[in-house]
Each structure stands twice: as structure tokens, then as C-alpha cells.
Amino acid sequence: MIEKSLVLVGHGMVGQRFLEALSEQPAAGQPHRWRVTVLAEEPRPAYDRVHLTSWFSGTSAEELTLCPPGFIEQHGIDLRLGDPATAIDRRARTVTTRSGAELRYDALVLATGSYPFVPPVPGHDAAGCHVYRTIEDLEAITASARHATVGAVVGGGLLGLEAAGALRAMGLETHVVEFAPRLMALQVDDGGGAVLRRKIEDLGVHVHTGAGTRRIDADENGRARTMALSDGTGLAVDLVVFSAGVRPRDQLARDCGLPVGERGGIAVDEHCRTPDPHIWAIGECALAVDGRVYGLVAPGYAMADTVARELAGTGAEFTGADTSTKLKLLGVDVASFGDALGTTEGALEVLYANSRAGIYKKLVVSADGRLLGGILVGDAESYATLRPLAIGKSQLPGPAEQLLVPAAAGRQGPLVLPDEAVVCSCHHVSKAAIRAAVSERGMRTVPEVKKCTKAGTGCGSCVKLLGSVVAEELEAGGIEVARGLCEHFTHTRAELYEIVRVKGITGFSRLIDEHGSGEGCDICKPAVASILAALGNGHVLDGEQAALQDTNDHFLANLQRNGSYSVVPRVPGGEITPAGLITIGEIARDYGLYTKITGGQRIDLFGATVDQLPGIWRRLVDAGFESGHAYGKALRTVKSCVGRTWCRYGVQDSVALAIELELRYRGLRAPHKLKSAVSGCARECAEAQSKDFGVIATSEGWNLYVGGNGGMTPRHADLLAADLDHDTLIRTIDRFLMFYVRTADRLERTAPWLGRLEGGLDHLRAVVMDDSLGICAELDELMARHVETYEDEWAATLADPERVRRFVSFANAPGTPDPTVRFVHERDGIRPARPEEDGFPLAPALIAGPALEVRTR
Amino acid sequence: MSEANPPENAEYTVEIDDGRAWTPVCRYQDLLPGRGIAVLVGPQGEQVAVFSERGGAVHALANRDPFSGAHVISRGLLGSRGSVPVVISPMLKQAFDLRTGRCLDEDHAPDGATAHLRVWPVRVVAARLAEAC
Ligand code: SRM
Ligand SMILES: Cc1cc2nc3c(=O)[nH]c(=O)nc-3n(C[C@H](O)[C@H](O)[C@H](O)COP(=O)(O)OP(=O)(O)OC[C@H]3O[C@@H](n4cnc5c(N)ncnc54)[C@H](O)[C@@H]3O)c2cc1C
Ligand code: SF4
Ligand code: FES
């Protein structure tokens, strides 16, 4: 096959998407193969600019990358980082780069994006003035912020508000200056802008609308100090971020005589081709055939797909795109879709506003009742349903006002969506395509549908809607949506718990042979293991139980990314002696482990290999430490604040209670992990209200809170009972825990469990405090049995050579450490080596512990 | 041959064909039904995961998980998907056919390689394991 050369200028979001789309084109039927060279101005491969702001909250540049590892090599792409194109010679069909290279092309694709517009006000180039587009920009802002106290963002659009959020998060007093009379002038109307403004001001950001920037004055070091606004305001600022819009980077095209739009943008036709048949332009640098320059990533992706298909000879068109947006700005949901500003002739508006709750919603409807567009501020739940209706200009499924009031939420299911509605806009997948995947191609689950349609694999915002479309279609086809644990059991976890308890089953084989089918899987085996353990069936590594445990439980440690393990000894209540700290330190030093204080008030030792675990634990156990069950679905930690003993506000001994609770419930296996905390007074330094069960001291006794959660879906715990004395408190927690263990689903924390418990908190209170179900005696007995039979899993493991035998690297070479587990040094510690790095294997312990076995021949 | 059905007797050895010869790698009773162990095979010291199913069949597959690059397949759980016996990677939970090494969830690993585990010929023989093991 003939090879032709393709040069891509710009390795940004759209450029990368183009490379992927090109590689996905079927090889068969293509007129020729493309040898691809990519010229990139930035020092790193394409990254996710849309989520750039998350860099401030700790997402690393590596995590933002859009270029899958090995992608460039696998497709034989010549990627030249930091070497931008400087000129195009259309007659000779060559591109020149900054380093002086000259590349011939048969096809040239320009994906140069845009640059931030900086208004030419005096002082705009003072030190402390920044733009917001690249990782280097953010690095510069962070460096500058170290010496700054007040920041101003010029521009109150989408990006400006993101930048303001970032400055706020860095602790700067923050101003936003917007020329238009409202924030996000492009996306929302005056009413929406007002609600947005109030919400953003509530977050402590000062908003100046209808004001331009006049001048920035610098001090004698050339650093920005004050900013004068057109409304006469003077602001003392020492950091300025310009976010006043972007301009297409079309200079290369201008210089070689390609037509550009009046306000910039490389003019292209419906195939994204310039008038030169060898040159295409895609993404933010292009002026599309509908006369618009799109500043969003989805239209850019559509253009990239178009050109990739063109080049593969399959033909495609791009004639325009939807500019709907939904974002969370400083924690406020904002969405705008379709004709949001009601510019269509004869358009009518339907409004719902609740300024106390900070909600503003507007639908734009045509005279004949079709949905054209809308704006949602403060509550954008219905965006996923409404946007496709507006894009399809569909007839409203009911009265418009009903779609806006929260009570009508239940009616907005996906059934009201017409078939042609686009559910996933990243990959342009319609509802019909999803339905067909289920009904015609036999897909039965969301992951299957994702794999075969690509829906939901972009930004992910459509996954919820995707799930309901799939579920509806399955139901419509009479296919039962399985309620059971997995393909091997039609029972829920709670039902299996009852079966195991009532029939006295002690092993997995009997359970699956009598009540399930097949051989089990990674879902049902650990779930059954947890049920067996919760009902007191001995050591988790004994007999058949050993084969059920997830890998963490199997090695009583936490698997890390390179196959090594972490070790977390229990530190009840977070109280630890100097001697204990020294012991942990010595062990970590001797084994060369990485140490870190966890979010749970204890110490994690990382980087142990399987064969090192028994040696490490022997020393820990000898020093009086126990398993911390960081690996198990079991009690993790009971955090404490220092309490009355030391703190001048404390009213009870919170540390003593936390230790007591942690020792009482340690080792208790549950449907999911359990966390707790005890605070010594209402100031709540232990954050008890974010725990599965939390206790806060009162002058009368203890308040018990249940069903709290941090993590992905935080929930404040509910007050179950107030001013309890010590014994009642313990009894109530005993029952609460055992009731949860008995009735919750697999991997269901107490928060969602409580959320779906019929009768809610009142029912729970009746069960555990008034014994309304008459099961309290049983629950008490189960807990008493747990407390009596508890033994430290690690001590018990070490005491039995049969159990220790599994902790070897290789069955036929037990002394050989796994050579693929390698580390590198970082910040005075170690971390797993990345695939491209050479690392060293962990050295065996320098000093053998006193109890280490010595083998004699 | 990638699987073997061993007899009940305990004095049996698991052997893998490393390309040159059948090499003993462990005692049959070292295998816990439903779980695996790792062994080193051949002159290059390749890592192989050896499993025995609840029904007794023995399988040997590459120990490297193509999705994480970590050598941890031997620490996965065994189970079934429909009628296919599988091992589930402990890292990111993809399932692999124990008989063919084929990944049931994804065709490719993130680095573009096919997500396939090499299958090693394995058998169980009535012989004492060499002292060296
Ligand atoms: C080590 C630690 C991070 C740290 O360095 O500080 C950690 C590490 C992990 N957390 Fe965590 N979490 C740690 C404190 C927390 C906390 C803070 C706390 O406990 O006060 C939270 C929020 C509180 C909460 O759970 O409500 C937390 C919420 C999660 C979640 C989300 C749970 C949820 O209900 O949404 C997961 C995911 C899950 O469990 O499904 C998770 C899962 C994990 C896993 C198990 C992820 C994994 O599968 O590898 C990590 C393994 C631990 C390991 O390898 O040792 N971790 N994790 C912390 C160990 C605390 C300890 O001493 O045991
Ligand atoms: C903070 C932030 C938040 C955003 N949020 C959203 C959002 O929520 N939703 C949304 O849809 N969009 C959002 N965007 C916009 C989105 O990032 C852009 O639409 C998208 O990046 C455009 O892709 P592109 O490839 O056209 O341009 P870019 O990603 O900018 O890539 C262009 C690349 O070309 C390089 N380049 C330029 N000239 C040359 C040359 N001569 N030679 C070689 N290389 C060159 C540039 O250095 C750059 O790396 C956001 C942007 C920012 C900055
Ligand atoms: S919660 Fe109360 S008692 Fe505990 S440390 Fe904070 S202020 Fe002191
Ligand atoms: S809309 Fe982004 S993944 Fe579907």
C-alpha cells in the first residue's frame, strides 16, 4: 500500500481525538496508509484542558493526560513535543518548525486551538498578571499566589468563574470583574445571572458586573498592586487572571494566504477542509461552515471525526453542533441548552425561580409547544432529559411548568425522550441506538452497552441517563432485571445471610450447590465470606473460607498497584505511645517501607512484598500490635478527638470511649467497611457526624449519630438518640450494627442502607431501642459472641505454619523475591516504579527481628 | 493441554512444560481449590500462575496482569461466567478464561496489547517432587 504523509499541527484535545479517530478507521478499503507526524508546541502530550482546574485540587499533569500509554508508539506516530510549526509553504507543501525542520505533507491538519484574549489595558503585562489555558499557566499562578493575598479575575464567563474558584481555594480574597451586566452572559439570562451571582457571593467572591478594567498599576518591582475599574472602583490586588475570552490561533493560515473569518478562525467547508484541498482545520482554530467558531470540546471532537473519516475515504460532514453546557461552578450547578436566550421568533418562556433556595429554571418553548432550549441554575438534575428534547425540538411530553417544579421529577424518566434524542453527546449516541443495542444486539448491562456503543465513555455525564434507558428497554423487552447478588445467586445478600444463619451453613460449596449455580465469582465469594465471618465461622484463612477471600483478605494486607502490599496496624482511637511509634518506625526502616499517616488516624506502611508480610507482622505482634483490618469489609477506625482530658472545652473522655468502641467492634465483618468517631464536645473535632456511627459528648452523656458517610456521596449522620448513658449507648450501637450486618446489601454502607430502609430513622429507632421486631435479644447475643470470640487475625495466622505457608513469592522458589516488584526513591521514601522506569527490588530487612525464624540446614 | 484432572491421592506433583521438558513446580496438595499460586518456570524464570478448580482441574497461565502490568494473576479468585471457568484479576477485576487465557471483558490492555494470558501446558503426575523444589 502506498504511504502518504500527514502532518498534524497542535497536539491538544482535538488533535489527540483526531489521532484516535484516524487509528479507529477500518484499514480495509483505504486508498493509502498515513505516516503521521505531530508538531506540538507544548512540552507534553495532549491533556484534558476541560478538567484543567482539577490540577489545583491535586490532579497531576500525568493524570490529566489524554494520550494512553503506548498510543504514540503503537501507531508509529512521530510526535515532536516543544517544536511548533512556524510557517506553511502551500506550493511546496511543506511545514517549517521552530527547530528548523521542514516536513513535506500530503495532508495537513491544523488543530492549533485558541489563545486567551488579554485586553490591551495599561499594565496588563505586570508581574502577577496571568492567563488560564495551560498547565504552565497554572504553575505560574500557583507560584504567584504564594506572595499574594487578593486576586482578581477579569471576565465572569465560564472560565473566569472556574479561575475564581481556584483563587478562592488557594485562600485569596477574590474579585470577579465582568464587563456585561451579568455573569456567564453567553449562557444564562438576567434572572439566571442574578441567582448565580448571589450563590457565588455567598461563597465569598466579590462580583463586579457592568465594569471594565481600566488600568493595572504596578509597584517599583513591576508587580501588580492595584486595579482601576471603569465604574470608578479601585481594587488593591496582587494577582490578576485574564479570562476575557479566547481568539482562534489562525496565524499560520493567515500567513500562507488561507481565508480567515472577520473575527478570526480558519474558514472551512462542511468537510472541515480549507479552500486548499490538502489542508484541513479542526477544533477551536476553525471557523465552521455555519459561520461559528466553537469554543467547546464536543464540536471539536465531531470535526476531528469528520476529517479522520475523510482521510480514510469514508466521507463525513460537520455542519454545526450543539453548544449546550452543564457545569458545576464553585459548587453551583449551571446548565444551558438549545436556544437558551429565546432568540427564535415567537419563542415563549416558562420560568421557575426560588431565590431563597438559589434555584432558577427557564424553558424556552415555541408557540406550538416544542421545547427549544432552557437555563437551569442551582438544580440541573433535569438537564440530561431536557437537552435532548430541546435539540430535537420535540413536543413537550407534558405541561412545561410541570417539568420545572421539583415534584414532577418522577415524570421526567427517559420514556418521554423521543428515539432520535441524543443521550451521549460526546459520542453522539441516540436513544434509538442504545435501545437497539439492548433489543437487537442482546446487550444486557450498562458496561456491555458502553462497550458496544461508546456512549458514556467520554465525559461521563450521561451515564445515569444511559442506565435508565437500558433498564427501561430491558423491562420493556420483558427481560428481568436481576435483583440477585450476581449470576450465581438469585438471592440478595440479606436473603443469603438468613439462609446461612437459619440453615447453619458453614461453607461456600454447600451454599452454592444448594442455593446457587456455577462456580461463583469475585462478587459472591467475598460476600459469602463476609457472611460466614460475621456469623462466627472461625479464622478467615481456614479451610474453604480461604478460597473465598478477595486478595486483600487473603493476604491480610492491601494490594497496591505494583503487586506489593500495605500494612496497617490498629491504633485504637488514634492513641499511640512513643514506644509504639518507635517500633513502627524501626520496622519500616528495616524493611525500607514507605510510611504515611492515613486519613484514619493511624500509620500505613507501604511496599511490602508477599513474602515479607509474616516477618513484618511477627515484629508488630511481638510489640503488641494487632491487625487494623484495613483490608477487610470490617470495622476500620474509631477516630477520637483529645477530649476532656486535655481540651479546655471537652465535657467527656472521648479518647477512652473511642478506644473502648474500637476494641469492642474490631474484627466485625460487615457488608461494607464501618467507620466511627467520638468527639468530646459539640465542636466535633473528630468529625463523628460523617461516620457510620458517631458519638458526640454532651454534659448529660452521649449523642449517637448513625448513617454518616464521607467518600463519594457524603452524608451527615442522623441523630438516633440523645444523652445516652454509657451502657445504653453501647447496647444501642451493638444492635444498630448487627441489624445492619443482617439486612444490608453487599457493599452497601450504612448511609444508603438507612436511606432505603422502609420507615427510615423512626423504624430503626423502634427496632433497636423499643425492640419493635422482637429481635433485640438475638442481636445482643450475636454481638456478645463476636466480642467473646474475637482473636487477632495476624497473631492467629503466625501461630499456624499452615497459614504462614501461603505467604511466599513463588511456590517453587520461596526465597526469591518477585523481581517485577520494583521501586524508585521519591522525597526520602520509595514509591512503585512506573512501567517506563528502572527500579530496584526491596532489600530484605537489614536487621532481623528477635523472633525471626532462623533456618538451619 | 492446559488442564489436568488429578487423582484423589495426595502424593502427586504438578508439572509444567517449559518448552524444553516437563518440569515439576509444586505438590498437588499445595494448591487450594479455587485459588492459585505463583511459580517460576524455564530458564528465563517466567512467572506462571497455577490454579486448581473446585472440581479438581488444574490450569497454568501467565502471572502478569495485562491491565496493571503487575504480576498478580495467581492471587485472583476463581469462578465461572456462564459455562466458562474464569480467574478474576485481583487488581481491576477483569475475568480470563482459565482454559484459553482469553479476557472476557476487554480485548485490549491500556498499552494496546491484546489482553490475553499465555496458557502453559500442565499435568499432574504420580511422582515425588524433586528435593530441589
Ligand atoms: C490509606 C487511606 C488513605 C490515606 O493514605 O490516608 C485510604 C486508602 C484507601 N481507601 Fe479510603 N483510605 C483512607 C481513609 C478514607 C477516609 C477517611 C476516614 O476514614 O476518615 C474516607 C472517607 C470516609 C468514609 O469512608 O466515609 C475514605 C473513603 C474511601 C472510599 C469511599 C467510601 C464511600 O462510602 O463512598 C473508598 C472506596 C470504597 O470503599 O468503595 C475507599 C477505598 C480505599 C482503598 C481501599 C482503595 C483501594 O481499593 O485500593 C485504599 C486502600 C488502602 C490501602 O491500600 O491501604 N476509601 N477513605 C486511608 C486509610 C484510613 C485507615 O487508617 O484505615
Ligand atoms: C480552564 C478551561 C476549562 C474549560 N472547560 C470546558 C468545558 O467545561 N466544556 C467544554 O466543552 N470546553 C471547555 N474548555 C474548552 C476546551 O478546552 C477547548 O474547546 C478544547 O481544548 C479545544 O481543543 P483544541 O485541540 O481545538 O485546542 P487546544 O486544546 O488548545 O489545543 C491546541 C494545541 O495546539 C498547540 N499549538 C498552537 N499553535 C501551534 C503551532 N503553531 N504548532 C504546534 N502546536 C501549536 C497549542 O499549544 C495547544 O497545545 C475549557 C478550557 C479551559 C482552558
Ligand atoms: S471536639 Fe471539643 S473536646 Fe474534642 S478537641 Fe474539639 S473542642 Fe476539644
Ligand atoms: S455525554 Fe459525555 S460521555 Fe456521554
Side-chain angles (χ1 to χ4, degrees):
Chain A
M1 207 192 290
I2 340 167
E3 241 194 12
K4 290 199 167 192
S5 14
L6 186 154
V7 176
L8 168 69
V9 181
H11 195 218
M13 298 189 75
V14 173
Q16 171 63 19
R17 173 71 208 194
F18 167 75
L19 294 175
E20 283 168 23
L22 193 66
S23 73
E24 284 161 12
Q25 298 305 315
Q30 289 199 28
H32 33 249
R33 208 184 8 241
W34 293 104
R35 196 179 59 250
V36 182
T37 308
V38 182
L39 299 178
E41 178 189 55
E42 292 189 62
R44 53 171 66 79
Y47 55 88
D48 187 352
R49 218 178 286 294
V50 169
H51 293 103
L52 190 62
T53 303
S54 69
W55 184 88
F56 283 116
S57 50
T59 308
S60 67
E62 290 80 55
E63 285 166 321
L64 283 173
T65 189
L66 287 178
C67 199
F71 176 85
I72 296 294
E73 300 75 23
Q74 195 203 336
H75 296 287
I77 296 168
D78 178 6
L79 170 63
R80 305 190 182 186
L81 294 175
D83 194 14
T86 49
I88 300 170
D89 182 339
R90 286 169 54 199
R91 189 138 359 115
R93 272 204 257 143
T94 57
V95 185
T96 312
T97 74
R98 186 163 66 194
S99 72
E102 204 177 84
L103 302 164
R104 242 195 71 81
Y105 64 81
D106 297 300
L108 175 64
V109 179
L110 302 174
T112 47
S114 26
Y115 66 88
F117 170 69
V118 177
V121 294
H124 67 81
D125 48 2
C129 290
H130 299 274
V131 294
Y132 199 87
R133 178 131 193 128
T134 64
I135 289 179
E136 284 68 31
D137 292 339
L138 303 202
E139 283 169 355
I141 292 173
T142 320
S144 211
R146 264 179 228 129
H147 317 283
T149 48
V150 186
V153 177
V154 178
L158 198 150
L159 285 191
L161 294 183
E162 268 198 32
L167 296 190
R168 229 11 239 137
M170 286 189 288
L172 300 194
E173 183 186 338
T174 306
H175 296 265
V176 172
V177 181
E178 167 58 49
F179 194 68
R182 60 170 185 269
L183 294 172
M184 285 186 72
L186 281 184
Q187 289 89 4
V188 310
D189 60 359
D190 285 337
V195 170
L196 186 59
R197 177 186 185 131
R198 197 163 322 119
K199 287 212 127 184
I200 283 173
E201 283 175 340
D202 283 348
L203 299 169
V205 174
H206 310 280
V207 179
H208 312 261
T209 48
T213 307
R214 264 273 153 71
R215 207 178 58 243
I216 293 164
D217 292 311
D219 62 16
E220 64 284 1
N221 299 322
R223 170 136 191 148
R225 284 296 169 229
T226 56
M227 186 160 146
L229 305 189
S230 59
D231 63 1
T233 317
L235 300 175
V237 299
D238 35 24
L239 194 158
V240 180
V241 177
F242 286 104
S243 185
V246 293
R247 299 284 183 270
R249 295 189 67 174
D250 52 16
Q251 198 61 39
L252 281 173
R254 280 177 199 268
D255 292 345
C256 67
L258 286 172
V260 296
E262 221 170 284
R263 299 177 59 212
I266 307 166
V268 294
D269 63 12
E270 67 274 19
H271 305 294
C272 297
R273 196 196 296 241
T274 67
D276 183 323
H278 297 283
I279 307 183
W280 287 260
I282 54 177
E284 286 197 340
C285 65
L287 173 67
V289 69
D290 61 350
R292 299 172 68 176
V293 172
Y294 288 96
L296 293 173
V297 72
Y301 281 0
M303 293 186 216
D305 288 337
T306 303
V307 176
R309 277 198 246 163
E310 275 282 298
L311 292 176
T314 43
E317 290 191 357
F318 177 85
T319 50
D322 167 28
T323 53
S324 305
T325 25
K326 174 178 175 228
L327 8 120
K328 212 181 190 82
L329 286 171
L330 295 129
V332 185
D333 281 317
V334 184
S336 117
F337 52 95
D339 178 11
L341 301 180
T343 53
T344 312
E345 225 187 270
L348 304 168
E349 291 185 348
V350 184
L351 279 180
Y352 169 84
N354 179 345
S355 26
R356 237 180 88 211
I359 295 175
Y360 175 89
K361 299 185 189 186
K362 180 181 85 171
L363 294 187
V364 177
V365 184
S366 71
D368 61 349
R370 288 165 190 282
L371 183 62
L372 300 176
I375 293 169
L376 308 168
V377 178
D379 169 13
E381 217 5 58
S382 50
Y383 170 78
T385 337
L386 294 176
R387 190 210 57 202
L389 288 175
I391 303 311
K393 298 203 174 41
S394 308
Q395 201 72 41
L396 280 174
E401 55 279 13
Q402 280 199 14
L403 291 175
L404 289 180
V405 284
R411 304 195 36 163
Q412 296 173 13
L415 269 193
V416 307
L417 278 182
D419 255 2
E420 62 280 8
V422 172
V423 170
C424 175
S425 54
C426 287
H427 292 285
H428 206 84
V429 185
S430 66
K431 181 180 172 193
I434 294 166
R435 291 185 49 197
V438 174
S439 58
E440 286 158 29
R441 298 166 69 185
M443 304 296 137
R444 290 288 172 271
T445 62
V446 171
E448 284 172 8
V449 172
K450 274 169 115 173
K451 194 176 164 191
C452 99
T453 63
K454 276 197 146 197
T457 59
C459 68
S461 70
C462 63
V463 173
K464 205 167 153 202
L465 182 60
L466 178 68
S468 27
V469 173
V470 171
E472 301 260 350
E473 189 61 21
L474 285 172
E475 228 163 83
I479 301 155
E480 213 179 304
V481 185
R483 197 177 57 91
L485 201 54
C486 62
E487 68 171 88
H488 307 104
F489 287 100
T490 54
H491 310 276
T492 62
R493 180 197 169 277
E495 288 163 354
L496 284 179
Y497 180 95
E498 287 311 312
I499 292 173
V500 172
R501 190 179 67 89
V502 172
K503 293 185 113 182
I505 291 177
T506 54
F508 181 76
S509 283
R510 180 173 160 208
L511 186 66
I512 195 161
D513 291 344
E514 289 177 13
H515 299 274
S517 63
E519 290 296 313
C521 64
D522 58 323
I523 294 173
C524 59
K525 283 183 163 179
V528 171
S530 145
I531 293 172
L532 292 172
L535 288 168
N537 278 286
H539 196 279
V540 294
L541 297 187
D542 282 355
E544 218 198 1
Q545 277 200 68
L548 305 177
Q549 312 294 344
D550 224 332
T551 185
N552 281 355
D553 297 77
H554 190 58
F555 290 110
L556 307 173
N558 291 53
L559 179 66
Q560 305 296 319
R561 59 189 318 141
N562 62 346
S564 66
Y565 285 83
S566 83
V567 170
V568 189
R570 186 169 295 291
V571 179
E575 184 180 88
I576 186 164
T577 60
L581 284 170
I582 289 166
T583 306
I584 291 184
E586 281 174 348
I587 295 172
R589 183 196 58 207
D590 294 350
Y591 281 88
L593 305 176
Y594 168 78
T595 46
K596 180 178 176 302
I597 307 290
T598 72
Q601 295 190 342
R602 47 194 187 166
I603 300 168
D604 205 344
L605 294 83
F606 291 84
T609 53
V610 171
D611 45 311
Q612 290 176 328
L613 290 171
I616 293 172
W617 271 104
R618 173 135 296 148
R619 288 181 59 182
L620 285 168
V621 167
D622 286 346
F625 286 101
E626 291 185 352
S627 165
H629 293 100
Y631 47 80
K633 300 294 173 235
L635 180 81
R636 291 284 162 87
T637 62
V638 181
K639 300 212 278 186
S640 72
C641 76
V642 63
R644 183 177 63 190
T645 323
W646 293 87
C647 175
R648 61 210 154 113
Y649 295 112
V651 292
Q652 305 278 357
D653 187 349
S654 48
V655 178
L657 182 69
I659 294 173
E660 182 184 349
L661 294 179
E662 186 155 344
L663 296 181
R664 183 170 181 82
Y665 303 122
R666 66 190 158 173
L668 179 66
R669 300 279 161 150
H672 206 315
K673 57 191 168 193
L674 284 165
K675 296 180 177 186
S676 176
V678 183
S679 281
C681 84
R683 283 169 194 75
E684 247 284 71
C685 297
E687 300 171 303
Q689 288 170 96
S690 66
K691 298 298 173 203
D692 294 285
F693 57 105
V695 182
I696 302 179
T698 68
S699 46
E700 313 295 323
W702 305 97
N703 283 354
L704 173 58
Y705 292 80
V706 294
N709 208 160
M712 292 169 270
T713 315
R715 180 182 189 274
H716 267 123
D718 293 316
L719 180 63
L720 183 69
D723 293 330
L724 300 176
D725 61 59
H726 172 272
D727 292 356
T728 316
L729 173 75
I730 302 281
R731 195 176 61 228
T732 311
I733 301 176
D734 283 357
R735 293 173 179 177
F736 163 76
L737 289 176
M738 276 304 175
F739 187 47
Y740 161 71
V741 168
R742 183 165 181 171
T743 57
D745 260 338
R746 162 188 172 264
L747 293 189
E748 186 177 44
R749 294 278 297 263
T750 57
W753 168 75
L754 186 55
R756 77 171 169 90
L757 194 67
E758 227 165 286
L761 191 66
D762 289 337
H763 173 63
L764 176 65
R765 199 176 283 126
V767 173
V768 299
M769 305 202 67
D770 311 326
D771 200 7
S772 62
L773 295 181
I775 55 169
C776 282
E778 223 171 88
L779 299 179
D780 291 346
E781 199 228 293
L782 278 170
M783 186 59 85
R785 181 136 57 99
H786 164 77
V787 175
E788 262 163 46
T789 56
Y790 165 84
E791 62 170 346
D792 172 30
E793 278 165 12
W794 262 110
T797 301
L798 294 173
D800 178 348
E802 260 315 297
R803 292 174 185 152
V804 176
R805 254 166 43 81
R806 83 190 55 224
F807 294 89
V808 290
S809 46
F810 303 104
N812 58 348
T816 311
D818 182 345
T820 65
V821 176
R822 305 184 84 81
F823 300 88
V824 295
H825 287 290
E826 182 172 275
R827 291 192 301 277
D828 298 335
I830 58 161
R831 65 159 170 79
R834 303 199 177 100
E836 70 280 5
E837 289 173 327
D838 282 344
F840 53 85
L842 265 202
L846 292 174
I847 309 161
L852 262 192
E853 287 168 286
V854 182
R855 226 183 253 140
T856 42
R857 286 234 154 229
Chain B
M1 191 188 63
S2 71
E3 61 186 275
N5 271 306
E8 292 296 306
N9 197 309
E11 290 304 314
Y12 286 85
T13 301
V14 179
E15 295 188 346
I16 287 182
D17 181 356
D18 66 8
R20 303 170 308 171
W22 286 101
T23 318
V25 293
C26 64
R27 296 181 309 163
Y28 177 64
Q29 63 266 39
D30 291 341
L31 294 170
L32 179 64
R35 277 230 103 96
I37 55 170
V39 297
L40 291 175
V41 166
Q44 252 73 55
E46 286 191 68
Q47 293 197 24
V48 178
V50 185
F51 304 97
S52 74
E53 283 188 76
R54 199 159 61 105
V58 176
H59 304 269
L61 300 144
N63 195 28
R64 182 176 179 277
D65 169 28
F67 295 94
S68 61
H71 290 66
V72 294
I73 292 294
S74 59
R75 304 178 211 159
L77 279 172
L78 298 197
S80 62
R81 281 262 184 102
S83 57
V84 182
V86 294
V87 54
I88 297 138
S89 169
M91 198 63 88
L92 300 169
K93 312 282 176 192
Q94 288 88 355
F96 298 85
D97 189 331
L98 278 173
R99 302 160 308 185
T100 63
R102 188 176 63 89
C103 178
L104 272 53
D105 294 302
E106 277 158 86
D107 301 332
H108 296 280
D111 64 3
T114 48
H116 212 94
L117 301 180
R118 168 167 175 196
V119 179
W120 294 75
V122 60
R123 68 179 187 189
V124 178
V125 294
R128 274 197 164 262
L129 205 54
E131 278 304 310
C133 288

